[in-house]
Structure formats: C-alpha cells, structure tokens
C-alpha cells in the first residue's frame, strides 16, 4: 500500500476480492466524458473490464482508495495472451447472454457490417499483438478523482510491477478523441505506436467516427 503524493488520505493498493462489487460502481461512473455514445457490453461491462482481470491476474489489479471509498482502479495483465481478448469476450457474450437482443448492441453490429463494406481497404483498429509489449492495462477514475495525481499513482505502481516481473513492455489502446487521456499517457512515458485507426461500429455522441490509438511503454 502506498500513499498518493500530495493527496491526503489516498492510497494505492492491490485488489481484494471484497472490492469486486464496489468496483462496479466505479466502472459505471468512470464513463462520464467518454467519447463513445454507448457501451457495447451494457450491463455486462464488469465481466469484460473487471472480472477477467480479478480472476486472471489479480496481482496486477490496483485500486485507489480514500477513507474506504474506491476512487479508481487499474486492471493490468502481464501476459495479454493469458486472458480472453475483447473480441473473445464479445463473442462469448453474444452466445451466452444473447447480447444481440440488446438494442444498442444490435445497432453496433449493424454499423460494424456497414463499416466493413464501405471501409474495405482502409486501416481499421485491430487487437494488438507484439512480443515487445506483451503486457497491457486499462485505467478508470471517477470524475472527482481526476487531476489529483491518483491516476499517476496507479500508473507508477503498475510500471513498478512491470519492472519487478521483468516484462519487456506494455501497451494500451485509447480513443484518440479522448485527448485528455492521450496527454496523460504521454506524460506517463507512453509513445504512439502507429496512427489512429477507425474503430468499426463505434460512433461518438454526435454520430462521428471514432479512432483507436495504440500506445506503448518499455521499462
């Protein structure tokens, strides 16, 4: 457990099983300000963005806490190939939870099909696989925790773990339209890897296309 510099009472610690249910609220609130209009997974978001990390690599899962209240978290994975991918999670939920009956997801699938036709030959976002950067992360904060050094503290703890475990590097993928997040990752030492690429099926709140930026970091 480590205190956050300049933020009285805030600590960063490793995930505990009793955090699981409370982190669902953090995940739901952290979407405020997200460029995407809707979530593809809806009520199944926790299974994708929380549970697979809590079950698969809990030692790389860190939370920020103040007076017993969870303000944010970082889900990390030392070996990306060891966990189900985003697309594998999506395909499983389509089968087991009949996710295609959810209106927002059905609309997303329709846009994906449309984008695959009109965007044929164009560079679109893909899942990242490069042995130079086998680890990856996701980070989320509730709105009132932003700009207070809490995200930086979570990232530093994750980078310490990468060094301790001997990982050669880490990647993340963020919407390039989320300029605040991109600037934050740059401050934490991440570099752009390739250009932003269109995310098939995704639209912004005003119907605009969204793009995914891959970023990488090496110890």
């Amino acid at each position: 457990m480590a205190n956050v510099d300049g933020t009285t009472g805030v600590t960063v610690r490793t995930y505990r099983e009793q955090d699981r249910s409370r982190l669902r609220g953090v995940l739901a609130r952290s979407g405020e300000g997200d460029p995407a209009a809707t979530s593809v997974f809806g009520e199944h978001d926790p299974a994708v963005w929380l549970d697979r990390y809590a079950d698969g690599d809990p030692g790389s899962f860190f939370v920020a806490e103040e007076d017993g209240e969870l303000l944010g978290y970082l889900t990390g994975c030392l070996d990306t190939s060891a966990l189900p991918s985003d697309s594998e999670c999506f395909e499983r939920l389509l089968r087991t939870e009949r996710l295609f009956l959810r209106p927002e997801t059905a609309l997303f699938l329709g846009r994906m099909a449309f984008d695959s036709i009109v965007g044929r030959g164009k560079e679109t976002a893909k899942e990242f696989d490069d042995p130079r950067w086998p680890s990856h992360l996701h980070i989320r904060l509730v709105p009132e925790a932003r700009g207070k050094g809490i995200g930086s503290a979570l990232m530093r703890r994750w980078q310490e773990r990468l060094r301790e475990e001997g990982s050669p590097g880490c990647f993340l993928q963020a919407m390039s339209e989320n300029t605040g997040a991109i600037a934050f990752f740059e401050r934490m030492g991440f570099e752009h890897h390739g250009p932003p690429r269109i995310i098939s099926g995704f639209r912004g709140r005003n119907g605009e296309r969204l793009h995914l930026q891959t970023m990488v970091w090496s110890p």
Side-chain angles (χ1 to χ4, degrees), residues 3 6 15 17 19 27 33 43 63 70 72 88 108 138 141 146 149 152 179 182-183 190 206 211 219:
N3 292 319
Y15 165 85
E17 183 57 32
D19 298 326
L27 172 60
E43 65 272 23
V63 302
L70 299 183
E88 288 171 335
F108 170 77
H138 298 285
L141 300 175
R146 298 167 189 164
S152 298
T179 55
I182 295 294
F190 281 78
N206 297 314
H211 302 76

Coordinates of all heavy atoms in Angstrom, one line a residue, residues 3 6 15 17 19 27 33 43 63 70 72 88 108 138 141 146 149 152 179 182-183 190 206 211 219:
N3 N 0.9 5.7 -0.3 CA 0.2 7.0 -0.3 C 0.4 7.7 -1.6 O 1.4 7.5 -2.2 CB 0.6 7.9 0.9 CG 0.2 7.3 2.2 OD1 -0.9 6.8 2.4 ND2 1.2 7.4 3.2
G6 N 0.8 14.2 -2.3 CA 0.1 15.5 -2.4 C -1.4 15.3 -2.2 O -2.2 16.3 -2.3
Y15 N -5.7 -5.1 -5.4 CA -7.1 -5.5 -5.4 C -7.4 -6.6 -4.3 O -6.5 -7.5 -4.1 CB -7.5 -6.1 -6.8 CG -8.8 -6.8 -6.8 CD1 -10.0 -6.2 -7.0 CD2 -8.8 -8.2 -6.8 CE1 -11.2 -6.9 -7.1 CE2 -10.0 -9.0 -6.8 CZ -11.1 -8.3 -7.0 OH -12.3 -9.0 -7.1
E17 N -10.7 -9.3 -3.0 CA -11.9 -9.8 -3.5 C -13.1 -9.1 -3.1 O -14.1 -8.9 -3.8 CB -12.0 -11.3 -3.1 CG -13.3 -12.0 -3.6 CD -13.4 -12.0 -5.1 OE1 -12.3 -12.0 -5.8 OE2 -14.5 -12.0 -5.7
D19 N -13.5 -6.1 -3.0 CA -13.6 -4.8 -3.8 C -14.6 -5.1 -5.0 O -15.1 -4.1 -5.6 CB -12.3 -4.4 -4.3 CG -11.3 -4.0 -3.2 OD1 -11.7 -3.5 -2.2 OD2 -10.1 -4.2 -3.4
L27 N -16.7 1.6 -12.2 CA -16.7 1.4 -13.6 C -17.9 2.2 -14.3 O -17.7 2.9 -15.3 CB -16.9 -0.1 -14.0 CG -17.1 -0.4 -15.4 CD1 -15.9 0.0 -16.3 CD2 -17.3 -1.9 -15.6
G33 N -17.9 11.5 -19.7 CA -16.9 12.1 -20.5 C -16.3 11.3 -21.6 O -15.5 11.7 -22.4
E43 N -24.8 -3.9 -19.5 CA -24.8 -4.4 -18.1 C -23.7 -5.5 -17.9 O -23.4 -5.9 -16.8 CB -26.2 -5.0 -17.7 CG -26.6 -6.2 -18.4 CD -27.4 -5.9 -19.7 OE1 -27.2 -4.8 -20.3 OE2 -28.2 -6.7 -20.2
V63 N -6.1 -0.6 -6.9 CA -7.2 0.3 -6.7 C -6.7 1.5 -5.9 O -5.7 1.4 -5.1 CB -8.4 -0.4 -5.9 CG1 -8.9 -1.6 -6.6 CG2 -7.9 -0.8 -4.5
L70 N -13.6 3.8 -2.9 CA -12.8 3.5 -4.1 C -13.0 4.6 -5.1 O -14.1 5.0 -5.4 CB -13.2 2.2 -4.7 CG -13.0 0.9 -3.7 CD1 -13.4 -0.3 -4.5 CD2 -11.6 0.9 -3.2
G72 N -10.9 4.8 -8.0 CA -10.4 4.4 -9.3 C -9.6 3.1 -9.2 O -9.4 2.6 -8.2
E88 N -13.0 -12.0 -28.0 CA -13.4 -13.3 -27.4 C -14.5 -13.1 -26.4 O -15.5 -13.9 -26.3 CB -12.2 -14.1 -26.9 CG -11.3 -14.6 -27.9 CD -10.0 -15.2 -27.3 OE1 -9.6 -14.8 -26.2 OE2 -9.4 -16.0 -27.9
F108 N -24.9 -1.5 -32.9 CA -23.4 -1.6 -33.1 C -23.1 -2.7 -34.1 O -22.2 -2.4 -35.0 CB -22.8 -1.9 -31.8 CG -21.3 -2.3 -31.9 CD1 -20.4 -1.3 -32.0 CD2 -20.9 -3.6 -31.8 CE1 -19.0 -1.6 -32.1 CE2 -19.5 -3.9 -31.9 CZ -18.6 -2.9 -32.0
H138 N -5.8 -1.2 -18.4 CA -6.9 -0.3 -18.5 C -7.0 0.5 -17.2 O -6.7 -0.1 -16.2 CB -8.3 -1.0 -18.7 CG -8.4 -1.9 -19.9 ND1 -8.5 -1.3 -21.2 CD2 -8.3 -3.2 -20.1 CE1 -8.6 -2.3 -22.1 NE2 -8.4 -3.4 -21.5
L141 N -11.1 6.2 -13.5 CA -11.2 7.0 -12.3 C -12.6 7.6 -12.3 O -13.2 7.9 -13.3 CB -10.2 8.2 -12.3 CG -8.7 7.9 -12.3 CD1 -8.0 9.2 -12.4 CD2 -8.3 7.1 -11.0
R146 N -10.2 12.9 -10.8 CA -9.3 13.3 -11.9 C -8.5 14.5 -11.6 O -9.0 15.4 -10.9 CB -10.1 13.4 -13.2 CG -10.8 12.1 -13.6 CD -11.8 12.3 -14.7 NE -12.5 11.1 -14.9 CZ -13.7 11.0 -15.6 NH1 -14.2 12.1 -16.1 NH2 -14.3 9.8 -15.7
G149 N -3.6 13.5 -9.3 CA -2.4 12.7 -9.1 C -2.7 11.2 -8.8 O -1.8 10.4 -8.7
S152 N -1.9 9.0 -11.9 CA -0.4 8.9 -12.0 C 0.1 7.8 -11.0 O 1.0 7.0 -11.3 CB 0.3 10.2 -11.8 OG -0.1 11.1 -12.8
T179 N -8.7 13.3 -25.9 CA -7.3 14.0 -25.9 C -6.7 14.1 -24.5 O -5.5 14.1 -24.3 CB -7.5 15.4 -26.5 OG1 -8.5 16.1 -25.8 CG2 -7.8 15.3 -28.0
I182 N -5.1 10.8 -23.7 CA -3.9 10.6 -24.5 C -2.7 11.4 -24.0 O -1.6 11.0 -23.8 CB -4.1 11.0 -26.0 CG1 -5.1 10.1 -26.7 CG2 -2.8 11.1 -26.8 CD1 -4.7 8.7 -26.8
A183 N -3.0 12.7 -23.6 CA -2.0 13.5 -23.0 C -1.5 13.0 -21.6 O -0.3 13.0 -21.3 CB -2.6 14.9 -22.7
F190 N 4.3 6.9 -22.2 CA 3.9 6.1 -23.4 C 4.0 6.9 -24.7 O 3.9 8.1 -24.7 CB 2.4 5.7 -23.2 CG 2.2 4.6 -22.2 CD1 2.2 4.8 -20.8 CD2 1.9 3.3 -22.7 CE1 2.0 3.8 -20.0 CE2 1.7 2.3 -21.8 CZ 1.7 2.5 -20.4
N206 N -22.3 12.5 -31.3 CA -22.9 13.2 -32.4 C -22.9 12.4 -33.7 O -23.1 12.9 -34.8 CB -22.2 14.5 -32.6 CG -22.4 15.4 -31.4 OD1 -23.5 15.6 -30.8 ND2 -21.3 16.1 -31.0
H211 N -11.7 6.8 -33.3 CA -10.4 6.2 -33.7 C -9.7 5.6 -32.5 O -9.8 6.2 -31.4 CB -9.6 7.2 -34.4 CG -10.2 7.8 -35.7 ND1 -11.2 8.7 -35.6 CD2 -10.0 7.5 -37.0 CE1 -11.5 9.1 -36.8 NE2 -10.8 8.3 -37.7
P219 N 10.2 -0.4 -19.9 CA 10.9 0.0 -18.7 C 12.3 0.5 -19.1 O 12.9 0.2 -20.1 CB 11.1 -1.3 -17.9 CG 10.0 -2.2 -18.4 CD 9.8 -1.9 -19.9

